[in-house]
Amino acid sequence: MKTAEIAQRYLSYFEKNDHLIVPSASLVSDDPSLLFTVAGMVPMIPYLTGVVPAPHSRIADLQKCIRTNDIEEVGRTARHGTFFQMLGNWSFGDYFKEGAIRYAWELLTGSESDGGLGFDEKDLWVTVFETDDEAEAIWRDVIGLKPERIQRLGRADNYWNTGQPGPGGPDSEIFFDRGPAYGQDGGPAVDDNRFLEIWNLVFMQDFIDNIRGKTEFDIVGELPMKNIDTGMGLERVAFLKQGVENMYETDQVRPVLDRAVELSGLRYGAEHADDVRFRVVADHVRSSLMLLSDGVRPSNEGRGYILRRLMRRTVRSMRLLGVDEPVFPELFIASKEAMKSAYPILEQDWAQLSAAANAEEETFRRTLDAGSTILDLALADTKKSGSETLKGSEAFLLHDTYGFPIDLTLEIAEEAGLNVDRVAFDSLMQEQRSRAKADARNRKRQIADVSVYGDLRAKGETAFLGYDELEASSTVLGILVDGQPVRSAAEGQVAEVVLAETTLYAESGGQVADKGVITGPGYALEVLDVQRPVPGLISHTVEVTTGVVSIDAPATTTVDAANRRAARQAHSATHLVHAALRDTLGKTATQAGSLNRAGYLRFDFSWGQALSGDTKTEIEEIANRAVQDGLEVTTRIMSLDDAKAAGAMALFGEKYGSTVRMVDIGGAWSRELCAGTHVASSAEIGLINLVGESSVGASNRRVEALVGADAFREFAAERALVSQLTSALKTPRDQLTERVADLAAQLKAAEKRIAQFEAAERAGRVPAIAQTATSLGALQFVAHDLGEVGGADEVREIATGVRDTFGSAAAVAAISGVANGRPMVVIATNDSARAQGAKAGALAKIAAGVLGGGGGGRDDVAQGGGSDAAALPAAFSAIEQELRRA
């Protein structure tokens, strides 16, 4: 039974049983404390907690998930995957334990010919919470399951909660017995490898508080509305129904594994270590593809870092399998073909998905090449020192700074006959993880608990009236101070205020929040920010500038008209720039992010190389031609399907509901789904001035532009600058470029001549300095301070010059100088001196220690420095003492 068929049977079954089928939410979670949707229940939390009313009392879905906390287990077990799909059915105050159990059992054991999944009852076991007599009785007396196949477990296994005060409840899990070949008998309480969990039924009935740990909390009461939250792992059911050993061999994943096998020339099943690598590749390629399809792009932080790690682990694993050429062009196609029937958007967006993947691989290949060179040098130095172990700090530097995988470092070191200090490496990694966890905890503490908005959201959605009005009357529904509900806020306080209606735009879709004020009887509020903390609710962060604002008070919202006008200009200009980019570069140049504020726009788009000057000019001209043409801007509310049928662009990575707002500029010239505010005619934009273009990743570029009056002011400033230059240089405007180029060439020539004079002057000083040498037995030692110098090169040049004046006679030159207030010493030794044991690197370290810094280098020339210039005489003395001992 194919994976897609299993999902369809599940959704069809629950649709027949009066469940609303909802689409999967994005892998990019709306929860600010989560990078990704890590579980099927994450998008349902607002409904489960009552913050947002559920659209139906019964819901079923297939939810995409990403989980990376067990990434090291991927490929090693049958069930660990980074990307996975959860089937769920949900009841919000409707059916409870018996209904959930009946539905699960009927679907699992129903015959395939009748639309069921066809599991044999004798292969199924269940667990219930240790005190849940009701659930056990339903399984035993209603379903008829034998008592010996019902096991009771404690809080660690059969009680669900979010880890925060709020809803929780016991659960009942359904397991499949894979047979004696996979472990010992005795049920899931004995062996969770043989007995594989496939469905979890959570009975959300309790309110918990005083949480002290995963199993340490207090059940303080019952929920007023009991909910059902279930999750069935699609991949787990798929590999059981398909008769394969693990999730990597199912129909949606195996094609990638098989293509990796073909590319490597190896055989799957021949070697355990290689099999793990093949499964890692199969999992990570699919996970990367799905993350890219939801708008995530590789980067060095947040979600982008996780994606980059998955993609680089793929490349590394293929290299360990002997494949050095690019692999994403082959592996991504295999994954797309396996997944496109379930996710058609993969085919639709294939051009930009493949371009992003290929660009990231190319970047990492360069990283690997650079890292290999650095590693080769480190290994050579390790051997030269007589050690058999590469320092953990060097392995960590390669990993942390250059992105060079530790596994590859281990393999290359082993080939060179060396070990790696894993203890030191792991210690440094643990320190890094601890810092990251501390940062994450601190970040989580700064995020308000969205449950405080529950009562406010229950009063209905905030009506946004700002498309048509800049001022409107409303009522204060709620006030929060420091994340806690209060009855009022007084002058000087910063608070969140929720109104029944507002004309102030909440930040979204790249457009920043409106500026403005909220006023009422005896009070005035300056609006600092406007956000949507939960779907359907608009919250205004304000400073109370006058009086006291209280709940139920009348309120008038007033938008800063000038700021809104400029923001509308910038947002509409963004649409024009997007259309111009696509007209110039092609349809693959699609938006990957934007920021619009009064007078300014920033637009990121999918493209792998810098734009030429001519291309930027063409884009700017196309956008401004649309401004001059005075194109009409219209908006329409319609279904998502109708908008797509009309050709509207659903921007990559954005989330849309079933009803959307479509913005046309000049009809189909620019047609996008957008909730922002816009001008009525493109002529109102005035002017677009493209001021910057840069890279923001391997496959993304960024353009920046000024709009309207800000664009004009920039042009005016440039005109004034050109006028000043023409006047100062006494050159006509049309000859200014050549004149500046000529002056630059003259300056460069002059600097070269000055450098030659300075070098000659330094060379002239060398003989006199050499004559100050002190005889230390058969060794000549020169110590000289140059005073203020321009830099280390000047000191080094004199040190080597002094050394060379002694010919074959053993000599050491120690020359110092002070640059920018910091002292430095350069040591130069010749062959004869080194034969007597005088090594420049060791002497530089001694001098640096006296100066309060660090130093070192080669045996012939080395440098040390510090912060205490007054200690230079002492540093020279320390060098001399060391030479006398040599």
Side-chain angles (χ1 to χ4, degrees):
M1 190 180 293
K2 297 292 188 183
T3 304
E5 183 184 349
I6 295 170
Q8 189 54 54
R9 284 172 178 255
Y10 184 99
L11 297 176
S12 295
Y13 172 81
F14 281 101
E15 188 172 29
K16 291 175 186 175
N17 285 282
D18 194 31
H19 287 67
L20 174 67
I21 308 302
V22 299
S24 173
S26 171
L27 288 170
V28 178
S29 175
D30 285 329
D31 186 332
S33 65
L34 297 173
L35 288 177
F36 298 115
T37 300
V38 296
M41 55 80 64
V42 169
M44 300 293 171
I45 289 177
Y47 306 146
L48 293 169
T49 57
V51 172
V52 177
H56 195 274
S57 62
R58 299 180 176 201
I59 286 177
D61 69 340
L62 172 60
Q63 176 59 48
K64 301 177 293 185
C65 304
I66 284 281
R67 191 178 297 167
T68 58
N69 55 329
D70 293 326
I71 194 170
E72 301 298 336
E73 295 301 315
V74 170
R76 303 180 186 277
T77 71
R79 58 186 184 273
H80 281 97
T82 46
F83 173 82
F84 59 98
Q85 301 161 90
M86 290 298 295
L87 290 156
N89 58 285
W90 316 82
S91 167
F92 307 103
D94 197 322
Y95 61 84
F96 199 50
K97 290 183 184 179
E98 182 171 336
I101 291 172
R102 278 182 180 273
Y103 284 140
W105 191 255
E106 183 175 277
L107 178 58
L108 281 175
T109 62
S111 68
E112 292 186 12
S113 61
D114 291 333
L117 296 177
F119 282 96
D120 194 322
E121 295 183 16
K122 68 179 178 58
D123 295 327
L124 301 177
W125 290 60
V126 301
T127 61
V128 298
F129 185 52
E130 56 192 358
T131 63
D132 196 346
D133 298 334
E134 180 185 2
E136 182 180 25
I138 294 170
W139 281 114
R140 183 186 64 241
D141 302 334
V142 178
I143 301 302
L145 193 63
K146 293 180 179 180
E148 58 267 26
R149 282 194 280 131
I150 306 171
Q151 296 183 325
R152 294 193 182 218
L153 297 176
R155 287 185 173 185
D157 298 290
N158 277 83
Y159 195 95
W160 175 90
N161 68 83
T162 64
Q164 300 291 332
D171 63 41
S172 180
E173 298 177 354
I174 305 174
F175 293 79
F176 178 82
D177 181 2
R178 303 175 72 197
Y182 295 92
Q184 59 181 315
D185 202 354
V190 174
D191 191 332
D192 65 357
N193 184 50
R194 169 174 170 172
F195 297 89
L196 187 72
E197 179 198 342
I198 56 175
W199 205 336
N200 184 16
L201 316 175
V202 177
F203 312 128
M204 200 176 300
Q205 63 188 43
D206 302 326
F207 188 89
I208 65 171
D209 204 351
N210 304 320
I211 297 175
R212 302 173 294 282
K214 178 177 173 56
T215 61
E216 296 295 321
F217 52 84
D218 297 333
I219 300 174
V220 297
E222 288 191 358
L223 294 176
M225 184 177 76
K226 297 180 179 179
N227 301 323
I228 287 294
D229 159 12
T230 82
M232 185 171 84
L234 179 56
E235 281 77 12
R236 294 191 183 188
V237 174
F239 85 70
L240 293 176
K241 292 301 296 180
Q242 293 173 20
V244 295
E245 288 297 305
N246 50 62
M247 63 171 288
Y248 316 104
E249 298 174 14
T250 60
D251 63 298
Q252 287 188 343
V253 188
R254 183 64 188 249
V256 183
L257 190 151
D258 289 340
R259 189 71 188 106
V261 168
E262 293 173 10
L263 292 173
S264 71
L266 302 174
R267 183 171 67 84
Y268 182 60
E271 176 67 41
H272 174 71
D274 287 345
D275 288 352
V276 170
R277 290 169 186 147
F278 282 128
R279 292 193 286 264
V280 166
V281 168
D283 171 86
H284 286 9
V285 165
R286 184 172 75 143
S287 301
S288 299
L289 176 63
M290 298 308 295
L291 282 170
L292 285 166
S293 74
D294 269 355
V296 181
R297 288 292 179 267
S299 68
N300 288 326
E301 59 185 10
R303 299 179 182 95
Y305 173 75
I306 299 297
L307 173 58
R308 172 161 284 170
R309 186 182 181 201
L310 292 173
M311 299 178 80
R312 293 189 168 190
R313 278 171 61 91
T314 299
V315 175
R316 183 257 298 172
S317 295
M318 289 300 291
R319 284 211 170 190
L320 294 177
L321 289 165
V323 183
D324 289 332
E325 61 269 16
V327 295
F328 280 165
E330 298 289 338
L331 299 178
F332 255 52
I333 290 177
S335 188
K336 184 257 291 185
E337 292 299 315
M339 297 294 292
K340 69 180 183 182
S341 62
Y343 300 97
I345 194 171
L346 298 177
E347 187 77 77
Q348 176 185 325
D349 293 331
W350 175 244
Q352 54 189 304
L353 297 177
S354 57
N358 297 342
E360 176 61 20
E361 179 173 20
E362 179 58 32
T363 298
F364 186 45
R365 286 170 63 81
R366 291 195 296 269
T367 295
L368 285 176
D369 291 341
S372 296
T373 301
I374 295 169
L375 178 57
D376 289 344
L377 291 172
L379 294 173
D381 288 344
T382 301
K383 284 185 174 181
K384 188 175 180 181
S385 69
S387 174
E388 296 181 353
T389 303
L390 180 71
K391 294 178 181 179
S393 58
E394 293 181 322
F396 180 76
L397 176 69
L398 280 164
H399 166 84
D400 191 51
T401 303
Y402 299 98
F404 202 78
I406 181 60
D407 289 355
L408 203 54
T409 299
L410 292 169
E411 182 186 31
I412 294 173
E414 183 179 0
E415 291 172 355
L418 298 175
N419 302 311
V420 177
D421 187 348
R422 279 305 299 268
V423 174
F425 175 85
D426 290 341
S427 176
L428 291 168
M429 283 294 295
Q430 186 57 48
E431 289 178 15
Q432 185 188 62
R433 291 191 188 104
S434 297
R435 288 193 297 270
K437 287 180 179 178
D439 290 343
R441 284 194 298 269
N442 183 56
R443 188 165 57 249
K444 190 170 183 179
R445 281 195 296 269
Q446 294 173 358
I447 295 170
D449 181 0
V450 296
S451 64
V452 300
Y453 300 103
D455 291 340
L456 297 172
R457 181 60 181 80
K459 297 177 182 178
E461 293 194 27
T462 309
F464 177 63
L465 309 178
Y467 291 131
D468 304 310
E469 305 290 341
L470 295 182
E471 184 173 295
S473 298
S474 187
T475 304
V476 177
L477 298 182
I479 303 172
L480 303 175
V481 173
D482 295 330
Q484 298 300 314
V486 295
R487 294 291 304 175
S488 62
E491 184 173 330
Q493 284 188 292
V494 173
E496 286 184 68
V497 172
V498 176
L499 308 175
E501 302 88 10
T502 184
T503 54
L504 292 150
Y505 184 81
E507 179 180 354
S508 65
Q511 182 175 332
V512 301
D514 274 334
K515 295 180 179 179
V517 295
I518 301 173
T519 57
Y523 72 86
L525 316 175
E526 179 186 355
V527 177
L528 307 177
D529 193 15
V530 191
Q531 296 288 335
R532 296 180 182 268
V534 296
L537 194 73
I538 296 177
S539 174
H540 310 77
T541 300
V542 303
E543 181 179 357
V544 184
T545 55
T546 304
V548 176
V549 59
S550 303
I551 291 178
D552 296 329
T556 298
T557 60
T558 303
V559 177
D560 181 324
N563 183 76
R564 168 70 79 82
R565 185 184 311 111
R568 286 202 313 262
Q569 290 175 314
H571 203 155
S572 297
T574 299
H575 286 221
L576 297 186
V577 169
H578 190 187
L581 278 163
R582 289 167 64 79
D583 186 53
T584 306
L585 304 177
K587 302 305 181 186
T588 59
T590 53
Q591 181 172 336
S594 68
L595 173 67
N596 315 289
R597 64 169 183 258
Y600 170 86
L601 72 85
R602 186 182 75 202
F603 187 88
D604 297 346
F605 60 100
S606 302
W607 198 250
Q609 60 191 39
L611 303 183
S612 68
D614 288 344
T615 299
K616 287 184 285 187
T617 298
E618 183 179 0
I619 292 167
E620 190 177 57
E621 286 180 350
I622 292 172
N624 278 300
R625 193 157 54 242
V627 173
Q628 295 165 12
D629 289 343
L631 303 177
E632 183 183 12
V633 180
T634 60
T635 60
R636 287 179 281 169
I637 305 298
M638 59 180 63
S639 71
L640 178 59
D641 291 339
D642 288 345
K644 288 183 176 179
M649 287 194 62
L651 297 182
F652 200 63
E654 287 290 330
K655 304 168 190 177
Y656 300 100
S658 57
T659 301
V660 296
R661 183 170 180 261
M662 186 171 76
V663 177
D664 289 353
I665 303 180
W669 192 85
S670 169
R671 178 168 287 167
E672 298 187 19
L673 304 183
C674 181
T677 62
H678 289 274
V679 296
S681 166
S682 62
E684 294 180 36
I685 295 171
L687 185 64
I688 301 172
N689 180 3
L690 219 59
V691 294
E693 191 268 342
S694 59
S695 170
V696 286
S699 59
N700 282 334
R701 306 294 297 180
R702 170 176 292 171
V703 292
E704 297 176 88
L706 297 176
V707 181
D710 290 80
F712 175 78
R713 280 191 286 269
E714 179 69 12
F715 279 127
E718 290 178 354
R719 182 178 61 191
L721 178 61
V722 170
S723 177
Q724 291 172 13
L725 287 173
T726 57
S727 174
L729 299 177
K730 297 180 173 58
T731 304
R733 179 190 178 99
D734 59 352
Q735 298 176 20
L736 192 59
T737 302
E738 292 81 359
R739 176 62 173 147
V740 170
D742 183 53
L743 287 174
Q746 292 179 33
L747 177 61
K748 187 174 182 180
E751 289 175 341
K752 184 177 181 180
R753 288 195 297 273
I754 291 171
Q756 291 171 344
F757 289 138
E758 289 178 341
E761 188 273 336
R762 287 193 294 271
R765 298 169 63 187
V766 165
I769 295 174
Q771 290 178 4
T772 65
T774 299
S775 296
L776 304 178
L779 181 73
Q780 297 297 307
F781 174 54
V782 176
H784 183 79
D785 181 23
L786 298 173
E788 289 291 331
V789 294
D793 289 345
E794 180 180 335
V795 181
R796 182 179 293 263
E797 185 179 335
I798 290 182
T800 55
V802 169
R803 174 198 62 188
D804 294 344
T805 61
F806 290 93
S808 60
V812 174
I815 309 299
S816 68
V818 179
N820 298 319
R822 298 186 64 84
M824 69 185 78
V825 176
V826 175
I827 313 293
T829 64
N830 59 17
D831 290 342
S832 300
R834 291 193 293 277
Q836 295 183 29
K839 305 295 178 66
L843 295 172
K845 288 182 180 179
I846 292 172
V850 176
L851 297 174
R858 302 194 309 270
D859 290 346
D860 59 336
V861 180
Q863 178 179 324
S867 56
D868 186 4
L872 281 171
F876 286 144
S877 178
I879 295 171
E880 182 176 342
Q881 291 176 17
E882 180 63 21
L883 291 173
R884 290 184 183 279
R885 286 195 292 268

